[in-house]
Amino acid sequence: MSPVIMSQLQRTFRALAYPGFRVYAAGQLVGTLAFWLQTTAVSWLVLELSGNSGTALGWTLALQFGPYLLFGLQGGKIADGFDKRKILLLCSLGSAAVTATLGAVVLTGHVELWMIYVGMFAFGSVAVIEGPARQAFYSELVDIEALPNAVGLGSAIFNTSRIAGPALAGVLIAFTSTGAVIAVCSVVFLGPAISCAVLLRRSLTNPVRRRADSGGIREALRYTAARPDLIAVLFVSLLVSGFTFNFALTLSMLARTEFDTGADSYGLLLTALAVGALTGSLASGRRSGRPSLSTMLTSSVLLGVGTLVVGFAPSLWSAMALLAPTGFAMVYYAQAANQRIQMGVRADFRGRVLSLYMLVFLGSTAVFAPIVGWFMEQYGARAGLWLGGLIAMATPTVVVFAKRAQLRRRAVALTGKAMP
């Protein structure tokens, strides 16, 4: 292999040079596979029980991500206050217990829609603690110059599972049942617990030392409010995530109502999206510094264009072809936003600021998913994609105008003259 290719590979996968990251990554690969198996199975089960109700599916997503609105900042406080390895181990066991309970209810034939709602709320309540700890933990496994690569590879792991998980779930549902798939997930969710148990016996590359002035949630909110660069990320994420990152909802409805296909085809749509997302993860992981605001906004516009065009796809196969570049833009945007947060905050504030980011990024689904679901019931599955695409294209324009207005005010304050 040529030295140039070797150099490129080392740059793309440089975080894997850290032994602790390798152990953690292996556990995350297993855990995220379980997540996508469960997401696909639960989405399909909800549609079966509700008679293809987009509103019911929207409420399922809302209840799964709703805990971020209720307890999101507490999750960040826990992440900054305790050993993240222990937090992640306990959360893995909690996810396995919730999923095992839900699987047992489905397999016994006593499942009702409200039970799935309760199960997804419980699962989301565990995730609200796990999420900030998982994201902030990357900075303790690698040196700061390798952090963008670690975050990018973490996303690549998530999207590798996104490729395999829905397709595998579709096949398993076709040959077994949704209950069997959910039951399998409860065992697979133990993967991260095993990796964290191993890491507890090892020292960390870059452990966080909490400073006396880091305070609690109130101090983290003040810290964020004083940072316009962080506020811009939060604003864009609120709308783009809330209206555009609803592919579990929009694509399941598209497969079932527009293309009149089964769970296996829905899995293929998610897999096509994930193929592009995996490529976007690896591309974003090659960054060596904090991404610019323009990088984040441009990728949001490209995501909007892709989502809008998918809504016009005439067939399953054309939708799959269009979803690959859409997935690339989706993750390239998400990683730019994540890395701007990760690399723009003080280490001892990272868990709490990330929890605020995740509250906005994931909690917005709890607010907007039922709206998107209702919108699709009224105007069709394609309309949900069109809505998300238009919002992802329009939101960056608002940020650009706000930025220009801020520069004008600053120029007036300094010179007394308005900008042209």
Side-chain angles (χ1 to χ4, degrees), residues 358-392:
M358 296 181 77
L359 183 154
V360 171
F361 191 85
L362 298 176
S364 59
T365 301
V367 176
F368 297 121
I371 297 173
V372 175
W374 174 86
F375 193 78
M376 288 192 296
E377 280 195 354
Q378 300 300 312
Y379 305 106
R382 296 181 186 277
L385 291 162
W386 298 334
L387 176 65
L390 290 172
I391 288 177

Side-chain angles (χ1 to χ4, degrees), residues 27 33 54 63 71 103 115 134 147 168 213 234 313 319 369:
L33 178 63
L63 288 166
F71 324 119
M115 297 177 184
R134 171 171 46 82
L147 181 56
L168 179 59
D213 64 342
L234 296 176

Side-chain angles (χ1 to χ4, degrees), residues 42 45-46 49 60 102 111-120:
V42 168
L45 181 61
V46 168
L49 293 174
T60 304
L102 183 60
V111 65
E112 296 181 22
L113 195 57
W114 69 268
M115 297 177 184
I116 298 176
Y117 289 162
V118 172
M120 288 299 96

Side-chain angles (χ1 to χ4, degrees), residues 46-266:
V46 168
L47 289 175
E48 288 177 346
L49 293 174
S50 65
N52 298 336
S53 171
T55 301
L57 191 56
W59 277 112
T60 304
L61 293 175
L63 288 166
Q64 180 175 343
F65 296 111
Y68 281 96
L69 294 175
L70 300 176
F71 324 119
L73 297 178
Q74 293 296 331
K77 183 178 180 180
I78 292 171
D80 279 338
F82 298 93
D83 189 326
K84 296 177 183 64
R85 294 166 293 185
K86 295 179 181 178
I87 296 171
L88 293 168
L89 191 155
L90 293 173
C91 287
S92 177
L93 296 176
S95 296
V98 171
T99 305
T101 303
L102 183 60
V105 171
V106 178
L107 285 173
T108 56
H110 295 99
V111 65
E112 296 181 22
L113 195 57
W114 69 268
M115 297 177 184
I116 298 176
Y117 289 162
V118 172
M120 288 299 96
F121 184 83
F123 187 83
S125 297
V126 175
V128 92
I129 300 173
E130 184 265 351
R134 171 171 46 82
Q135 289 289 334
F137 192 41
Y138 289 123
S139 65
E140 299 189 41
L141 291 167
V142 301
D143 294 317
I144 191 65
E145 62 269 15
L147 181 56
N149 186 248
V151 174
L153 290 181
S155 177
I157 289 168
F158 186 78
N159 286 292
T160 298
S161 299
R162 193 201 292 253
I163 293 171
L168 179 59
V171 172
L172 290 175
I173 291 170
F175 284 96
T176 57
S177 66
T178 52
V181 174
I182 294 171
V184 168
C185 291
S186 66
V187 178
V188 183
F189 267 126
L190 296 175
I194 296 172
S195 70
C196 288
V198 173
L199 287 172
L200 279 169
R201 298 174 174 270
R202 302 187 179 188
S203 58
L204 298 171
T205 299
N206 191 29
V208 172
R209 290 171 176 81
R210 186 176 175 88
R211 285 164 48 172
D213 64 342
S214 64
I217 292 174
R218 186 175 300 174
E219 287 73 16
L221 291 174
R222 288 198 190 110
Y223 176 84
T224 304
R227 296 282 302 278
D229 58 328
L230 301 181
I231 295 297
V233 176
L234 296 176
F235 173 75
V236 177
S237 296
L238 174 69
L239 296 176
V240 174
S241 176
F243 285 98
T244 313
F245 277 64
N246 284 304
F247 291 109
L249 169 61
T250 53
L251 295 183
S252 59
M253 287 288 288
L254 188 71
R256 196 168 180 103
T257 62
E258 295 290 334
F259 300 146
D260 194 25
T261 54
D264 52 346
S265 296
Y266 166 50

Side-chain angles (χ1 to χ4, degrees), residues 220-358:
L221 291 174
R222 288 198 190 110
Y223 176 84
T224 304
R227 296 282 302 278
D229 58 328
L230 301 181
I231 295 297
V233 176
L234 296 176
F235 173 75
V236 177
S237 296
L238 174 69
L239 296 176
V240 174
S241 176
F243 285 98
T244 313
F245 277 64
N246 284 304
F247 291 109
L249 169 61
T250 53
L251 295 183
S252 59
M253 287 288 288
L254 188 71
R256 196 168 180 103
T257 62
E258 295 290 334
F259 300 146
D260 194 25
T261 54
D264 52 346
S265 296
Y266 166 50
L268 288 174
L269 289 174
L270 289 180
T271 299
L273 182 75
V275 169
L278 175 59
T279 308
S281 300
L282 295 175
S284 63
R286 291 170 59 83
R287 297 188 184 110
S288 57
R290 192 184 186 210
S292 65
L293 178 64
S294 62
T295 296
M296 186 186 79
L297 297 181
T298 301
S299 52
S300 173
V301 172
L302 293 175
L303 168 62
V305 171
T307 305
L308 185 70
V309 174
V310 169
F312 289 99
S315 67
L316 175 70
W317 300 108
S318 60
M320 289 175 60
L322 292 167
L323 280 168
T326 302
F328 182 97
M330 175 186 73
V331 169
Y332 206 79
Y333 157 75
Q335 286 304 294
N338 187 303
Q339 290 165 0
R340 278 188 68 77
I341 296 288
Q342 290 260 20
M343 302 191 73
V345 300
R346 235 171 66 182
D348 55 336
F349 274 95
R350 188 171 283 122
R352 282 164 291 166
V353 178
L354 278 169
S355 73
L356 180 60
Y357 167 69
M358 296 181 77

